[in-house]
Amino acid sequence: MTAAARTASARRRGAAGITLLEVLVSVGILALIGTLIYGAFDGMSRARTGIARMSDRYHQGRGAVARISRELQAAFLSRHQPADRNAVVRLTAFTGEDSSTADRVDFTAFAHRRLLRNAHESDQCEIGFFAARDPERSDKLDLVRREAKHIDLEPTRGGVVNVLAEDIESFNVQYLDPVTGEWTDSWDSTQPAAQLDRLPAQVWVTLVLKGGPGDEPIKFETKVTIPMQVPIAFGVSN
């Protein structure tokens, strides 16, 4: 092979190779593309997480208000008591306490669901809705539901308490008095000076949750009509 041929062959081999600068440019482009792809997937993941969290908050609020409405509609009072007052072991009531942050309502209702076969239970129970501090976070207020499957002489105590909605901002309950036609912030069917043996015509429930879009609160509101306006008194002489 002549000297000219060897020189041409070396040039061809050199032209077919990749310089260090080209390698660095290629790596930089790949890194930029990888960064853009990661950012896109990370943004999609964050958006999906945020939408899922927001959906859970709305679902929790709607579920809480729906359950409160359903069980308020089953509220009742009864005048069926033993002739001997010392033998009284049950007290039906409807009480509502007003508070600046979260109100409380306790009542007897036909709302209990018997889950165990042959259980000595009926559909009568005591139910309460109120706010409680989260045991793990003192700054977090939860809406809880209390249910006692047996009615006793303390309609505002006892039973099992479960969280109904987490991290609430406020829980407000108002009552429409069928006698005066006005809304009131409290109710007590056990006191002669209040609304003795009477149920409200309607209950106005307002629940506000924290953590809405743009960190704004989420408000749920409904008015519940109570069908049973007078105590159960069939077979009871006046």
Side-chain angles (χ1 to χ4, degrees):
M1 180 181 295
T2 63
R6 286 196 298 270
T7 303
S9 178
R11 289 178 178 176
R12 285 196 297 270
R13 287 196 301 269
I18 301 176
T19 64
L20 179 59
L21 180 60
E22 292 173 333
V23 172
L24 293 177
V25 171
S26 301
V27 171
I29 293 174
L30 289 175
L32 179 61
I33 294 174
T35 302
L36 294 175
I37 293 175
Y38 173 80
F41 277 103
D42 183 63
M44 291 173 59
S45 177
R46 290 175 180 271
R48 182 176 180 180
T49 302
I51 292 173
R53 184 180 64 82
M54 202 62 58
S55 177
D56 288 342
R57 295 299 285 162
Y58 276 97
H59 178 74
Q60 192 175 75
R62 286 193 296 266
V65 171
R67 182 156 197 174
I68 294 171
S69 301
R70 183 172 64 250
E71 294 180 342
L72 279 171
Q73 290 175 342
F76 78 97
L77 298 176
S78 175
R79 289 179 179 166
H80 292 171
Q81 297 287 1
D84 183 4
R85 290 296 180 182
N86 295 323
V88 174
V89 295
R90 292 160 50 94
L91 175 63
T92 58
F94 191 107
T95 62
E97 298 179 8
D98 183 39
S99 177
S100 58
T101 303
D103 296 346
R104 173 168 183 154
V105 57
D106 294 273
F107 55 95
T108 48
F110 294 112
H112 177 65
R113 294 185 178 182
R114 190 175 65 177
L115 303 178
L116 300 177
R117 190 175 185 180
N118 298 324
H120 296 286
E121 304 168 6
S122 70
D123 58 351
Q124 301 179 32
C125 63
E126 297 173 359
I127 292 178
F129 298 101
F130 55 95
R133 292 290 175 184
D134 192 302
E136 298 181 356
R137 285 179 50 189
S138 60
D139 62 334
K140 182 181 177 185
L141 199 64
D142 298 332
L143 177 66
V144 299
R145 175 185 180 272
R146 178 190 68 89
E147 180 182 351
K149 59 186 177 182
H150 299 296
I151 301 174
D152 55 22
L153 292 174
E154 296 180 310
T156 62
R157 300 179 61 184
V160 178
V161 176
N162 293 305
V163 175
L164 195 61
E166 294 181 298
D167 202 10
I168 70 170
E169 184 172 289
S170 64
F171 176 61
N172 185 61
V173 186
Q174 291 181 298
Y175 314 91
L176 179 61
D177 193 328
V179 175
T180 63
E182 297 180 352
W183 291 95
T184 179
D185 293 326
S186 60
W187 196 274
D188 194 343
S189 66
T190 65
Q191 299 298 322
Q195 298 86 12
L196 182 64
D197 283 345
R198 292 197 292 118
L199 288 170
Q202 287 186 336
V203 180
W204 189 350
V205 179
T206 305
L207 174 63
V208 181
L209 303 183
K210 295 181 180 179
D215 207 26
E216 292 293 322
I218 309 172
K219 185 177 181 180
F220 301 89
E221 196 170 17
T222 186
K223 290 182 180 178
V224 184
T225 300
I226 299 182
M228 191 176 297
Q229 289 293 297
V230 296
I232 299 174
F234 53 86
V236 177
S237 56
N238 295 327

